Amino acid sequence: MTDENADVELLKPESSLFSYPNVLSKNDWDNWVQERGLYYPMDWDSRYETFVRMNDPGEESFDGGILMAPYGEGTYLYTNLVFYRQIQGQVPGGYRIFTNLLSYGQGE
């Protein structure tokens, strides 16, 4: 997603990914820097769950911005969201979303 203002749809809004430790809202996607994500996967194993959907204007939607699958006693989490730009740009929502990704599974 090269449009940093592209709408983001939460596919599993009830997931703790969006509520622990930060309760995320649409505002957490505001003021992102340069783009939302790069190098989206086109295919993935059916064991992966998808959590966000977004698209550039006039383009098809992509669901591969956050992928997760159980792995052993843990979780394999993949994201191509450009957190390095959001952290460098001190975008509050970028920090909050990144923190939730790092904390996934701890609040359950």
Side-chain angles (χ1 to χ4, degrees):
M1 292 314 103
T2 58
D3 184 346
E4 67 272 17
N5 297 308
D7 285 335
V8 177
E9 178 185 353
L10 304 183
L11 299 175
K12 297 181 182 349
E14 72 286 351
S15 171
S16 63
L17 177 65
F18 301 117
S19 62
Y20 181 84
N22 300 299
V23 176
L24 302 178
S25 73
K26 193 164 185 72
N27 296 338
D28 289 303
W29 300 94
D30 290 346
N31 303 312
W32 276 47
V33 178
Q34 193 164 343
E35 64 252 321
R36 294 233 188 258
L38 296 170
Y39 310 113
Y40 283 76
M42 302 308 283
D43 297 303
W44 48 84
D45 189 272
S46 63
R47 291 174 283 194
Y48 285 91
E49 293 183 82
T50 59
F51 288 82
V52 294
R53 175 178 292 145
M54 58 189 82
N55 61 284
D56 282 333
E59 299 288 331
E60 268 189 55
S61 295
F62 288 99
D63 294 356
I66 299 173
L67 300 172
M68 283 196 282
Y71 185 78
E73 294 182 28
T75 302
Y76 181 84
L77 186 145
Y78 170 84
T79 185
N80 62 340
L81 299 176
V82 290
F83 289 111
Y84 66 96
R85 293 196 196 283
Q86 310 327 309
I87 290 169
Q88 181 180 12
Q90 299 185 0
V91 177
Y95 281 107
R96 291 167 50 81
I97 296 165
F98 190 69
T99 299
N100 281 29
L101 291 174
L102 292 175
S103 302
Y104 184 76
Q106 299 302 308
E108 300 185 4

